PDB file of all heavy atoms in Angstrom:
ATOM      1  N   GLN A1348     -27.207-157.143 138.570  1.00  0.00           N
ATOM      2  CA  GLN A1348     -27.136-156.050 139.539  1.00  0.00           C
ATOM      3  C   GLN A1348     -25.763-155.392 139.452  1.00  0.00           C
ATOM      4  O   GLN A1348     -24.731-156.049 139.632  1.00  0.00           O
ATOM      5  CB  GLN A1348     -27.388-156.567 140.957  1.00  0.00           C
ATOM      6  CG  GLN A1348     -27.390-155.466 142.009  1.00  0.00           C
ATOM      7  CD  GLN A1348     -27.982-155.931 143.327  1.00  0.00           C
ATOM      8  OE1 GLN A1348     -29.089-156.465 143.361  1.00  0.00           O
ATOM      9  NE2 GLN A1348     -27.250-155.724 144.429  1.00  0.00           N
ATOM     10  N   LEU A1349     -25.778-154.097 139.154  1.00  0.00           N
ATOM     11  CA  LEU A1349     -24.544-153.335 138.974  1.00  0.00           C
ATOM     12  C   LEU A1349     -24.396-152.315 140.091  1.00  0.00           C
ATOM     13  O   LEU A1349     -25.315-151.536 140.351  1.00  0.00           O
ATOM     14  CB  LEU A1349     -24.550-152.614 137.625  1.00  0.00           C
ATOM     15  CG  LEU A1349     -24.717-153.465 136.356  1.00  0.00           C
ATOM     16  CD1 LEU A1349     -24.864-152.567 135.137  1.00  0.00           C
ATOM     17  CD2 LEU A1349     -23.530-154.407 136.176  1.00  0.00           C
ATOM     18  N   ASP A1350     -23.236-152.317 140.737  1.00  0.00           N
ATOM     19  CA  ASP A1350     -22.917-151.236 141.652  1.00  0.00           C
ATOM     20  C   ASP A1350     -22.419-150.050 140.839  1.00  0.00           C
ATOM     21  O   ASP A1350     -22.194-150.145 139.627  1.00  0.00           O
ATOM     22  CB  ASP A1350     -21.859-151.689 142.669  1.00  0.00           C
ATOM     23  CG  ASP A1350     -22.430-152.665 143.692  1.00  0.00           C
ATOM     24  OD1 ASP A1350     -23.637-152.538 143.999  1.00  0.00           O
ATOM     25  OD2 ASP A1350     -21.689-153.540 144.169  1.00  0.00           O
ATOM     26  N   GLU A1351     -22.225-148.923 141.510  1.00  0.00           N
ATOM     27  CA  GLU A1351     -21.849-147.697 140.809  1.00  0.00           C
ATOM     28  C   GLU A1351     -20.579-147.891 139.982  1.00  0.00           C
ATOM     29  O   GLU A1351     -19.585-148.459 140.447  1.00  0.00           O
ATOM     30  CB  GLU A1351     -21.627-146.572 141.822  1.00  0.00           C
ATOM     31  CG  GLU A1351     -21.490-145.196 141.180  1.00  0.00           C
ATOM     32  CD  GLU A1351     -21.594-144.075 142.192  1.00  0.00           C
ATOM     33  OE1 GLU A1351     -22.206-144.286 143.259  1.00  0.00           O
ATOM     34  OE2 GLU A1351     -21.077-142.984 141.909  1.00  0.00           O
ATOM     35  N   ASN A1352     -20.651-147.480 138.709  1.00  0.00           N
ATOM     36  CA  ASN A1352     -19.562-147.532 137.718  1.00  0.00           C
ATOM     37  C   ASN A1352     -19.297-148.944 137.179  1.00  0.00           C
ATOM     38  O   ASN A1352     -18.406-149.107 136.346  1.00  0.00           O
ATOM     39  CB  ASN A1352     -18.260-146.949 138.279  1.00  0.00           C
ATOM     40  CG  ASN A1352     -18.384-145.468 138.568  1.00  0.00           C
ATOM     41  OD1 ASN A1352     -19.052-144.734 137.842  1.00  0.00           O
ATOM     42  ND2 ASN A1352     -17.757-145.016 139.652  1.00  0.00           N
ATOM     43  N   GLU A1353     -20.034-149.944 137.603  1.00  0.00           N
ATOM     44  CA  GLU A1353     -19.901-151.262 136.996  1.00  0.00           C
ATOM     45  C   GLU A1353     -20.679-151.282 135.682  1.00  0.00           C
ATOM     46  O   GLU A1353     -21.728-150.655 135.553  1.00  0.00           O
ATOM     47  CB  GLU A1353     -20.426-152.351 137.930  1.00  0.00           C
ATOM     48  CG  GLU A1353     -19.510-152.621 139.109  1.00  0.00           C
ATOM     49  CD  GLU A1353     -20.003-153.751 139.994  1.00  0.00           C
ATOM     50  OE1 GLU A1353     -21.228-154.019 139.997  1.00  0.00           O
ATOM     51  OE2 GLU A1353     -19.169-154.358 140.692  1.00  0.00           O
ATOM     52  N   SER A1354     -20.153-152.044 134.689  1.00  0.00           N
ATOM     53  CA  SER A1354     -20.735-152.042 133.344  1.00  0.00           C
ATOM     54  C   SER A1354     -20.856-153.454 132.795  1.00  0.00           C
ATOM     55  O   SER A1354     -20.146-154.378 133.205  1.00  0.00           O
ATOM     56  CB  SER A1354     -19.882-151.205 132.388  1.00  0.00           C
ATOM     57  OG  SER A1354     -19.832-149.862 132.773  1.00  0.00           O
ATOM     58  N   ILE A1355     -21.751-153.573 131.829  1.00  0.00           N
ATOM     59  CA  ILE A1355     -21.931-154.814 131.102  1.00  0.00           C
ATOM     60  C   ILE A1355     -22.410-154.453 129.707  1.00  0.00           C
ATOM     61  O   ILE A1355     -22.979-153.379 129.498  1.00  0.00           O
ATOM     62  CB  ILE A1355     -22.943-155.735 131.821  1.00  0.00           C
ATOM     63  CG1 ILE A1355     -22.841-157.176 131.306  1.00  0.00           C
ATOM     64  CG2 ILE A1355     -24.371-155.209 131.704  1.00  0.00           C
ATOM     65  CD1 ILE A1355     -23.543-158.175 132.208  1.00  0.00           C
ATOM     66  N   TYR A1356     -22.144-155.319 128.711  1.00  0.00           N
ATOM     67  CA  TYR A1356     -22.608-155.025 127.351  1.00  0.00           C
ATOM     68  C   TYR A1356     -23.375-156.209 126.785  1.00  0.00           C
ATOM     69  O   TYR A1356     -23.214-157.345 127.226  1.00  0.00           O
ATOM     70  CB  TYR A1356     -21.444-154.622 126.436  1.00  0.00           C
ATOM     71  CG  TYR A1356     -20.474-155.730 126.074  1.00  0.00           C
ATOM     72  CD1 TYR A1356     -20.661-156.508 124.929  1.00  0.00           C
ATOM     73  CD2 TYR A1356     -19.342-155.975 126.854  1.00  0.00           C
ATOM     74  CE1 TYR A1356     -19.764-157.502 124.581  1.00  0.00           C
ATOM     75  CE2 TYR A1356     -18.440-156.968 126.516  1.00  0.00           C
ATOM     76  CZ  TYR A1356     -18.653-157.725 125.378  1.00  0.00           C
ATOM     77  OH  TYR A1356     -17.765-158.720 125.040  1.00  0.00           O
ATOM     78  N   SER A1357     -24.224-155.907 125.789  1.00  0.00           N
ATOM     79  CA  SER A1357     -25.051-156.941 125.177  1.00  0.00           C
ATOM     80  C   SER A1357     -25.310-156.601 123.724  1.00  0.00           C
ATOM     81  O   SER A1357     -25.022-155.486 123.262  1.00  0.00           O
ATOM     82  CB  SER A1357     -26.391-157.069 125.916  1.00  0.00           C
ATOM     83  OG  SER A1357     -27.232-155.982 125.586  1.00  0.00           O
ATOM     84  N   GLU A1358     -25.870-157.579 123.001  1.00  0.00           N
ATOM     85  CA  GLU A1358     -26.348-157.317 121.653  1.00  0.00           C
ATOM     86  C   GLU A1358     -27.551-156.389 121.727  1.00  0.00           C
ATOM     87  O   GLU A1358     -28.241-156.312 122.746  1.00  0.00           O
ATOM     88  CB  GLU A1358     -26.764-158.627 120.973  1.00  0.00           C
ATOM     89  CG  GLU A1358     -25.625-159.596 120.733  1.00  0.00           C
ATOM     90  CD  GLU A1358     -24.782-159.218 119.537  1.00  0.00           C
ATOM     91  OE1 GLU A1358     -25.027-158.149 118.945  1.00  0.00           O
ATOM     92  OE2 GLU A1358     -23.875-159.988 119.195  1.00  0.00           O
ATOM     93  N   SER A1359     -27.830-155.684 120.645  1.00  0.00           N
ATOM     94  CA  SER A1359     -28.987-154.795 120.622  1.00  0.00           C
ATOM     95  C   SER A1359     -30.273-155.606 120.726  1.00  0.00           C
ATOM     96  O   SER A1359     -30.367-156.732 120.228  1.00  0.00           O
ATOM     97  CB  SER A1359     -29.000-153.967 119.338  1.00  0.00           C
ATOM     98  OG  SER A1359     -29.120-154.806 118.213  1.00  0.00           O
ATOM     99  N   GLY A1360     -31.256-155.026 121.401  1.00  0.00           N
ATOM    100  CA  GLY A1360     -32.565-155.666 121.513  1.00  0.00           C
ATOM    101  C   GLY A1360     -32.694-156.676 122.628  1.00  0.00           C
ATOM    102  O   GLY A1360     -33.736-157.323 122.760  1.00  0.00           O
ATOM    103  N   LYS A1361     -31.681-156.828 123.488  1.00  0.00           N
ATOM    104  CA  LYS A1361     -31.737-157.838 124.554  1.00  0.00           C
ATOM    105  C   LYS A1361     -32.224-157.262 125.885  1.00  0.00           C
ATOM    106  O   LYS A1361     -32.592-158.016 126.778  1.00  0.00           O
ATOM    107  CB  LYS A1361     -30.354-158.467 124.748  1.00  0.00           C
ATOM    108  CG  LYS A1361     -29.779-159.154 123.522  1.00  0.00           C
ATOM    109  CD  LYS A1361     -30.542-160.398 123.171  1.00  0.00           C
ATOM    110  CE  LYS A1361     -30.011-161.047 121.901  1.00  0.00           C
ATOM    111  NZ  LYS A1361     -28.716-161.675 122.063  1.00  0.00           N
ATOM    112  N   MET A1362     -32.204-155.940 126.055  1.00  0.00           N
ATOM    113  CA  MET A1362     -32.613-155.340 127.321  1.00  0.00           C
ATOM    114  C   MET A1362     -34.127-155.422 127.488  1.00  0.00           C
ATOM    115  O   MET A1362     -34.877-155.108 126.574  1.00  0.00           O
ATOM    116  CB  MET A1362     -32.156-153.876 127.380  1.00  0.00           C
ATOM    117  CG  MET A1362     -32.264-153.241 128.767  1.00  0.00           C
ATOM    118  SD  MET A1362     -33.937-152.713 129.236  1.00  0.00           S
ATOM    119  CE  MET A1362     -34.225-151.377 128.065  1.00  0.00           C
ATOM    120  N   SER A1363     -34.584-155.843 128.686  1.00  0.00           N
ATOM    121  CA  SER A1363     -36.015-155.949 128.973  1.00  0.00           C
ATOM    122  C   SER A1363     -36.492-154.873 129.936  1.00  0.00           C
ATOM    123  O   SER A1363     -37.508-154.235 129.703  1.00  0.00           O
ATOM    124  CB  SER A1363     -36.338-157.330 129.539  1.00  0.00           C
ATOM    125  OG  SER A1363     -36.120-158.320 128.559  1.00  0.00           O
ATOM    126  N   TRP A1364     -35.796-154.681 131.050  1.00  0.00           N
ATOM    127  CA  TRP A1364     -36.120-153.580 131.964  1.00  0.00           C
ATOM    128  C   TRP A1364     -34.880-153.232 132.779  1.00  0.00           C
ATOM    129  O   TRP A1364     -33.970-154.046 132.939  1.00  0.00           O
ATOM    130  CB  TRP A1364     -37.299-153.919 132.878  1.00  0.00           C
ATOM    131  CG  TRP A1364     -37.124-155.094 133.796  1.00  0.00           C
ATOM    132  CD1 TRP A1364     -36.532-155.112 135.024  1.00  0.00           C
ATOM    133  CD2 TRP A1364     -37.586-156.430 133.565  1.00  0.00           C
ATOM    134  NE1 TRP A1364     -36.575-156.355 135.582  1.00  0.00           N
ATOM    135  CE2 TRP A1364     -37.235-157.190 134.716  1.00  0.00           C
ATOM    136  CE3 TRP A1364     -38.282-157.057 132.533  1.00  0.00           C
ATOM    137  CZ2 TRP A1364     -37.528-158.542 134.834  1.00  0.00           C
ATOM    138  CZ3 TRP A1364     -38.573-158.404 132.655  1.00  0.00           C
ATOM    139  CH2 TRP A1364     -38.199-159.131 133.782  1.00  0.00           C
ATOM    140  N   MET A1365     -34.872-151.989 133.293  1.00  0.00           N
ATOM    141  CA  MET A1365     -33.734-151.538 134.092  1.00  0.00           C
ATOM    142  C   MET A1365     -34.166-150.367 134.969  1.00  0.00           C
ATOM    143  O   MET A1365     -35.190-149.716 134.716  1.00  0.00           O
ATOM    144  CB  MET A1365     -32.565-151.118 133.187  1.00  0.00           C
ATOM    145  CG  MET A1365     -32.854-149.981 132.245  1.00  0.00           C
ATOM    146  SD  MET A1365     -31.437-149.646 131.152  1.00  0.00           S
ATOM    147  CE  MET A1365     -32.071-148.280 130.167  1.00  0.00           C
ATOM    148  N   THR A1366     -33.372-150.096 135.987  1.00  0.00           N
ATOM    149  CA  THR A1366     -33.656-148.977 136.876  1.00  0.00           C
ATOM    150  C   THR A1366     -33.159-147.674 136.249  1.00  0.00           C
ATOM    151  O   THR A1366     -32.353-147.680 135.314  1.00  0.00           O
ATOM    152  CB  THR A1366     -32.999-149.194 138.250  1.00  0.00           C
ATOM    153  OG1 THR A1366     -31.605-149.495 138.067  1.00  0.00           O
ATOM    154  CG2 THR A1366     -33.663-150.334 139.002  1.00  0.00           C
ATOM    155  N   GLN A1367     -33.646-146.554 136.812  1.00  0.00           N
ATOM    156  CA  GLN A1367     -33.368-145.239 136.230  1.00  0.00           C
ATOM    157  C   GLN A1367     -31.883-144.889 136.218  1.00  0.00           C
ATOM    158  O   GLN A1367     -31.432-144.117 135.364  1.00  0.00           O
ATOM    159  CB  GLN A1367     -34.125-144.157 137.013  1.00  0.00           C
ATOM    160  CG  GLN A1367     -35.619-144.102 136.721  1.00  0.00           C
ATOM    161  CD  GLN A1367     -35.935-143.321 135.462  1.00  0.00           C
ATOM    162  OE1 GLN A1367     -35.052-142.981 134.691  1.00  0.00           O
ATOM    163  NE2 GLN A1367     -37.207-143.028 135.259  1.00  0.00           N
ATOM    164  N   ASN A1368     -31.123-145.425 137.156  1.00  0.00           N
ATOM    165  CA  ASN A1368     -29.711-145.045 137.241  1.00  0.00           C
ATOM    166  C   ASN A1368     -28.806-145.835 136.300  1.00  0.00           C
ATOM    167  O   ASN A1368     -27.591-145.630 136.289  1.00  0.00           O
ATOM    168  CB  ASN A1368     -29.205-145.184 138.682  1.00  0.00           C
ATOM    169  CG  ASN A1368     -29.340-146.602 139.210  1.00  0.00           C
ATOM    170  OD1 ASN A1368     -30.193-147.365 138.763  1.00  0.00           O
ATOM    171  ND2 ASN A1368     -28.499-146.951 140.172  1.00  0.00           N
ATOM    172  N   ILE A1369     -29.371-146.742 135.516  1.00  0.00           N
ATOM    173  CA  ILE A1369     -28.587-147.465 134.508  1.00  0.00           C
ATOM    174  C   ILE A1369     -28.589-146.650 133.214  1.00  0.00           C
ATOM    175  O   ILE A1369     -29.646-146.338 132.671  1.00  0.00           O
ATOM    176  CB  ILE A1369     -29.173-148.868 134.245  1.00  0.00           C
ATOM    177  CG1 ILE A1369     -29.202-149.695 135.530  1.00  0.00           C
ATOM    178  CG2 ILE A1369     -28.367-149.573 133.162  1.00  0.00           C
ATOM    179  CD1 ILE A1369     -27.852-150.038 136.094  1.00  0.00           C
ATOM    180  N   LYS A1370     -27.410-146.317 132.748  1.00  0.00           N
ATOM    181  CA  LYS A1370     -27.253-145.518 131.537  1.00  0.00           C
ATOM    182  C   LYS A1370     -26.781-146.401 130.390  1.00  0.00           C
ATOM    183  O   LYS A1370     -25.840-147.181 130.543  1.00  0.00           O
ATOM    184  CB  LYS A1370     -26.272-144.364 131.755  1.00  0.00           C
ATOM    185  CG  LYS A1370     -26.644-143.451 132.923  1.00  0.00           C
ATOM    186  CD  LYS A1370     -28.030-142.840 132.742  1.00  0.00           C
ATOM    187  CE  LYS A1370     -28.415-141.952 133.914  1.00  0.00           C
ATOM    188  NZ  LYS A1370     -29.802-141.446 133.819  1.00  0.00           N
ATOM    189  N   MET A1371     -27.444-146.252 129.251  1.00  0.00           N
ATOM    190  CA  MET A1371     -27.095-147.036 128.072  1.00  0.00           C
ATOM    191  C   MET A1371     -26.315-146.190 127.076  1.00  0.00           C
ATOM    192  O   MET A1371     -26.646-145.032 126.836  1.00  0.00           O
ATOM    193  CB  MET A1371     -28.355-147.573 127.386  1.00  0.00           C
ATOM    194  CG  MET A1371     -28.062-148.505 126.217  1.00  0.00           C
ATOM    195  SD  MET A1371     -29.551-149.019 125.318  1.00  0.00           S
ATOM    196  CE  MET A1371     -29.724-147.652 124.172  1.00  0.00           C
ATOM    197  N   GLU A1372     -25.264-146.786 126.500  1.00  0.00           N
ATOM    198  CA  GLU A1372     -24.482-146.128 125.449  1.00  0.00           C
ATOM    199  C   GLU A1372     -24.226-147.140 124.344  1.00  0.00           C
ATOM    200  O   GLU A1372     -23.682-148.220 124.587  1.00  0.00           O
ATOM    201  CB  GLU A1372     -23.163-145.598 125.997  1.00  0.00           C
ATOM    202  CG  GLU A1372     -22.358-144.821 124.960  1.00  0.00           C
ATOM    203  CD  GLU A1372     -21.049-144.286 125.508  1.00  0.00           C
ATOM    204  OE1 GLU A1372     -20.737-144.561 126.684  1.00  0.00           O
ATOM    205  OE2 GLU A1372     -20.337-143.598 124.752  1.00  0.00           O
ATOM    206  N   THR A1373     -24.627-146.792 123.144  1.00  0.00           N
ATOM    207  CA  THR A1373     -24.415-147.657 121.990  1.00  0.00           C
ATOM    208  C   THR A1373     -23.048-147.361 121.386  1.00  0.00           C
ATOM    209  O   THR A1373     -22.731-146.223 121.062  1.00  0.00           O
ATOM    210  CB  THR A1373     -25.512-147.447 120.941  1.00  0.00           C
ATOM    211  OG1 THR A1373     -26.784-147.709 121.535  1.00  0.00           O
ATOM    212  CG2 THR A1373     -25.322-148.372 119.751  1.00  0.00           C
ATOM    213  N   LYS A1374     -22.234-148.401 121.228  1.00  0.00           N
ATOM    214  CA  LYS A1374     -20.876-148.225 120.732  1.00  0.00           C
ATOM    215  C   LYS A1374     -20.598-149.217 119.611  1.00  0.00           C
ATOM    216  O   LYS A1374     -21.183-150.296 119.554  1.00  0.00           O
ATOM    217  CB  LYS A1374     -19.849-148.455 121.852  1.00  0.00           C
ATOM    218  CG  LYS A1374     -19.949-147.508 123.035  1.00  0.00           C
ATOM    219  CD  LYS A1374     -18.880-147.857 124.056  1.00  0.00           C
ATOM    220  CE  LYS A1374     -18.935-146.957 125.279  1.00  0.00           C
ATOM    221  NZ  LYS A1374     -17.899-147.326 126.277  1.00  0.00           N
ATOM    222  N   SER A1375     -19.675-148.816 118.741  1.00  0.00           N
ATOM    223  CA  SER A1375     -19.146-149.765 117.760  1.00  0.00           C
ATOM    224  C   SER A1375     -17.986-150.501 118.413  1.00  0.00           C
ATOM    225  O   SER A1375     -17.447-150.071 119.435  1.00  0.00           O
ATOM    226  CB  SER A1375     -18.670-149.039 116.503  1.00  0.00           C
ATOM    227  OG  SER A1375     -17.500-148.287 116.778  1.00  0.00           O
ATOM    228  N   ARG A1376     -17.576-151.599 117.821  1.00  0.00           N
ATOM    229  CA  ARG A1376     -16.490-152.397 118.386  1.00  0.00           C
ATOM    230  C   ARG A1376     -15.179-152.160 117.651  1.00  0.00           C
ATOM    231  O   ARG A1376     -14.250-152.963 117.732  1.00  0.00           O
ATOM    232  CB  ARG A1376     -16.856-153.877 118.325  1.00  0.00           C
ATOM    233  CG  ARG A1376     -18.116-154.248 119.061  1.00  0.00           C
ATOM    234  CD  ARG A1376     -17.917-154.270 120.552  1.00  0.00           C
ATOM    235  NE  ARG A1376     -17.133-155.429 120.954  1.00  0.00           N
ATOM    236  CZ  ARG A1376     -16.638-155.632 122.162  1.00  0.00           C
ATOM    237  NH1 ARG A1376     -16.819-154.706 123.082  1.00  0.00           N
ATOM    238  NH2 ARG A1376     -15.964-156.710 122.459  1.00  0.00           N
ATOM    239  N   GLY A1377     -15.075-151.014 116.943  1.00  0.00           N
ATOM    240  CA  GLY A1377     -13.886-150.778 116.146  1.00  0.00           C
ATOM    241  C   GLY A1377     -14.069-151.347 114.752  1.00  0.00           C
ATOM    242  O   GLY A1377     -14.906-152.217 114.515  1.00  0.00           O
ATOM    243  N   LEU A1378     -13.268-150.862 113.806  1.00  0.00           N
ATOM    244  CA  LEU A1378     -13.437-151.238 112.401  1.00  0.00           C
ATOM    245  C   LEU A1378     -13.300-152.736 112.197  1.00  0.00           C
ATOM    246  O   LEU A1378     -14.129-153.365 111.533  1.00  0.00           O
ATOM    247  CB  LEU A1378     -12.428-150.495 111.536  1.00  0.00           C
ATOM    248  CG  LEU A1378     -12.517-150.769 110.024  1.00  0.00           C
ATOM    249  CD1 LEU A1378     -13.892-150.384 109.497  1.00  0.00           C
ATOM    250  CD2 LEU A1378     -11.423-150.016 109.281  1.00  0.00           C
ATOM    251  N   SER A1379     -12.252-153.349 112.789  1.00  0.00           N
ATOM    252  CA  SER A1379     -12.032-154.779 112.569  1.00  0.00           C
ATOM    253  C   SER A1379     -13.175-155.599 113.161  1.00  0.00           C
ATOM    254  O   SER A1379     -13.632-156.575 112.565  1.00  0.00           O
ATOM    255  CB  SER A1379     -10.699-155.214 113.184  1.00  0.00           C
ATOM    256  OG  SER A1379     -10.697-154.969 114.587  1.00  0.00           O
ATOM    257  N   LYS A1380     -13.658-155.201 114.353  1.00  0.00           N
ATOM    258  CA  LYS A1380     -14.760-155.930 114.980  1.00  0.00           C
ATOM    259  C   LYS A1380     -16.064-155.720 114.201  1.00  0.00           C
ATOM    260  O   LYS A1380     -16.889-156.623 114.123  1.00  0.00           O
ATOM    261  CB  LYS A1380     -14.935-155.460 116.423  1.00  0.00           C
ATOM    262  CG  LYS A1380     -13.758-155.809 117.326  1.00  0.00           C
ATOM    263  CD  LYS A1380     -13.710-157.301 117.576  1.00  0.00           C
ATOM    264  CE  LYS A1380     -12.535-157.679 118.469  1.00  0.00           C
ATOM    265  NZ  LYS A1380     -12.691-157.154 119.826  1.00  0.00           N
ATOM    266  N   MET A1381     -16.250-154.529 113.621  1.00  0.00           N
ATOM    267  CA  MET A1381     -17.453-154.286 112.836  1.00  0.00           C
ATOM    268  C   MET A1381     -17.480-155.185 111.606  1.00  0.00           C
ATOM    269  O   MET A1381     -18.513-155.732 111.237  1.00  0.00           O
ATOM    270  CB  MET A1381     -17.540-152.814 112.430  1.00  0.00           C
ATOM    271  CG  MET A1381     -17.855-151.877 113.584  1.00  0.00           C
ATOM    272  SD  MET A1381     -17.959-150.151 113.092  1.00  0.00           S
ATOM    273  CE  MET A1381     -19.483-150.164 112.131  1.00  0.00           C
ATOM    274  N   VAL A1382     -16.308-155.356 110.972  1.00  0.00           N
ATOM    275  CA  VAL A1382     -16.224-156.234 109.806  1.00  0.00           C
ATOM    276  C   VAL A1382     -16.561-157.667 110.222  1.00  0.00           C
ATOM    277  O   VAL A1382     -17.304-158.380 109.533  1.00  0.00           O
ATOM    278  CB  VAL A1382     -14.822-156.162 109.175  1.00  0.00           C
ATOM    279  CG1 VAL A1382     -14.673-157.227 108.093  1.00  0.00           C
ATOM    280  CG2 VAL A1382     -14.581-154.772 108.593  1.00  0.00           C
ATOM    281  N   SER A1383     -16.008-158.094 111.362  1.00  0.00           N
ATOM    282  CA  SER A1383     -16.275-159.460 111.825  1.00  0.00           C
ATOM    283  C   SER A1383     -17.749-159.662 112.138  1.00  0.00           C
ATOM    284  O   SER A1383     -18.301-160.737 111.916  1.00  0.00           O
ATOM    285  CB  SER A1383     -15.424-159.779 113.062  1.00  0.00           C
ATOM    286  OG  SER A1383     -15.850-159.018 114.178  1.00  0.00           O
ATOM    287  N   ARG A1384     -18.418-158.627 112.636  1.00  0.00           N
ATOM    288  CA  ARG A1384     -19.832-158.746 112.972  1.00  0.00           C
ATOM    289  C   ARG A1384     -20.683-158.836 111.706  1.00  0.00           C
ATOM    290  O   ARG A1384     -21.759-159.442 111.721  1.00  0.00           O
ATOM    291  CB  ARG A1384     -20.263-157.581 113.861  1.00  0.00           C
ATOM    292  CG  ARG A1384     -19.632-157.626 115.236  1.00  0.00           C
ATOM    293  CD  ARG A1384     -20.019-156.421 116.066  1.00  0.00           C
ATOM    294  NE  ARG A1384     -21.416-156.489 116.485  1.00  0.00           N
ATOM    295  CZ  ARG A1384     -21.853-157.244 117.474  1.00  0.00           C
ATOM    296  NH1 ARG A1384     -21.022-158.018 118.145  1.00  0.00           N
ATOM    297  NH2 ARG A1384     -23.130-157.249 117.809  1.00  0.00           N
ATOM    298  N   ILE A1385     -20.210-158.236 110.614  1.00  0.00           N
ATOM    299  CA  ILE A1385     -20.906-158.387 109.338  1.00  0.00           C
ATOM    300  C   ILE A1385     -20.870-159.851 108.911  1.00  0.00           C
ATOM    301  O   ILE A1385     -21.864-160.418 108.466  1.00  0.00           O
ATOM    302  CB  ILE A1385     -20.266-157.487 108.264  1.00  0.00           C
ATOM    303  CG1 ILE A1385     -20.530-156.006 108.593  1.00  0.00           C
ATOM    304  CG2 ILE A1385     -20.817-157.823 106.880  1.00  0.00           C
ATOM    305  CD1 ILE A1385     -19.810-155.036 107.681  1.00  0.00           C
ATOM    306  N   PHE A1386     -19.716-160.496 109.073  1.00  0.00           N
ATOM    307  CA  PHE A1386     -19.577-161.889 108.692  1.00  0.00           C
ATOM    308  C   PHE A1386     -20.423-162.812 109.554  1.00  0.00           C
ATOM    309  O   PHE A1386     -20.905-163.839 109.085  1.00  0.00           O
ATOM    310  CB  PHE A1386     -18.101-162.327 108.776  1.00  0.00           C
ATOM    311  CG  PHE A1386     -17.305-161.973 107.551  1.00  0.00           C
ATOM    312  CD1 PHE A1386     -16.452-160.885 107.558  1.00  0.00           C
ATOM    313  CD2 PHE A1386     -17.420-162.712 106.397  1.00  0.00           C
ATOM    314  CE1 PHE A1386     -15.720-160.552 106.435  1.00  0.00           C
ATOM    315  CE2 PHE A1386     -16.694-162.397 105.262  1.00  0.00           C
ATOM    316  CZ  PHE A1386     -15.843-161.311 105.283  1.00  0.00           C
ATOM    317  N   THR A1387     -20.586-162.480 110.838  1.00  0.00           N
ATOM    318  CA  THR A1387     -21.376-163.340 111.720  1.00  0.00           C
ATOM    319  C   THR A1387     -22.857-163.038 111.647  1.00  0.00           C
ATOM    320  O   THR A1387     -23.666-163.727 112.275  1.00  0.00           O
ATOM    321  CB  THR A1387     -20.916-163.193 113.183  1.00  0.00           C
ATOM    322  OG1 THR A1387     -21.021-161.822 113.579  1.00  0.00           O
ATOM    323  CG2 THR A1387     -19.490-163.674 113.355  1.00  0.00           C
ATOM    324  N   GLY A1388     -23.253-161.983 110.914  1.00  0.00           N
ATOM    325  CA  GLY A1388     -24.655-161.653 110.787  1.00  0.00           C
ATOM    326  C   GLY A1388     -25.226-160.927 111.983  1.00  0.00           C
ATOM    327  O   GLY A1388     -26.443-160.787 112.097  1.00  0.00           O
ATOM    328  N   GLU A1389     -24.366-160.457 112.902  1.00  0.00           N
ATOM    329  CA  GLU A1389     -24.837-159.743 114.079  1.00  0.00           C
ATOM    330  C   GLU A1389     -24.938-158.251 113.770  1.00  0.00           C
ATOM    331  O   GLU A1389     -24.457-157.761 112.754  1.00  0.00           O
ATOM    332  CB  GLU A1389     -23.883-159.973 115.263  1.00  0.00           C
ATOM    333  CG  GLU A1389     -23.640-161.439 115.596  1.00  0.00           C
ATOM    334  CD  GLU A1389     -24.888-162.131 116.082  1.00  0.00           C
ATOM    335  OE1 GLU A1389     -25.798-161.452 116.602  1.00  0.00           O
ATOM    336  OE2 GLU A1389     -24.961-163.374 115.961  1.00  0.00           O
ATOM    337  N   THR A1390     -25.559-157.495 114.682  1.00  0.00           N
ATOM    338  CA  THR A1390     -25.663-156.051 114.515  1.00  0.00           C
ATOM    339  C   THR A1390     -24.275-155.423 114.625  1.00  0.00           C
ATOM    340  O   THR A1390     -23.379-155.964 115.285  1.00  0.00           O
ATOM    341  CB  THR A1390     -26.591-155.449 115.582  1.00  0.00           C
ATOM    342  OG1 THR A1390     -26.107-155.819 116.875  1.00  0.00           O
ATOM    343  CG2 THR A1390     -28.006-155.968 115.417  1.00  0.00           C
TER     344      THR A1390
END
């Protein structure tokens, strides 16, 4: 449960349902984090 302007992040494909006022934004984690995610096999 998120109040206004509160945020949380997850791996892709984990969201099941949400209310209309929840806005999703897909972001990269920066170049170094993207490289690390390649090594861990994550998206």
Side-chain angles (χ1 to χ4, degrees):
Q1348 183 165 308
L1349 302 173
D1350 288 329
E1351 191 167 336
N1352 295 324
E1353 287 183 335
S1354 297
I1355 196 165
Y1356 70 91
S1357 75
E1358 295 282 5
S1359 62
K1361 301 291 177 71
M1362 192 281 293
S1363 294
W1364 61 84
M1365 61 184 180
T1366 52
Q1367 285 278 11
N1368 59 334
I1369 301 294
K1370 304 302 179 185
M1371 185 185 86
E1372 184 180 3
T1373 302
K1374 299 180 181 179
S1375 70
R1376 301 285 287 170
L1378 182 60
S1379 60
K1380 294 290 180 67
M1381 289 180 70
V1382 172
S1383 69
R1384 292 177 72 78
I1385 292 174
F1386 277 102
T1387 57
E1389 305 295 335
T1390 56

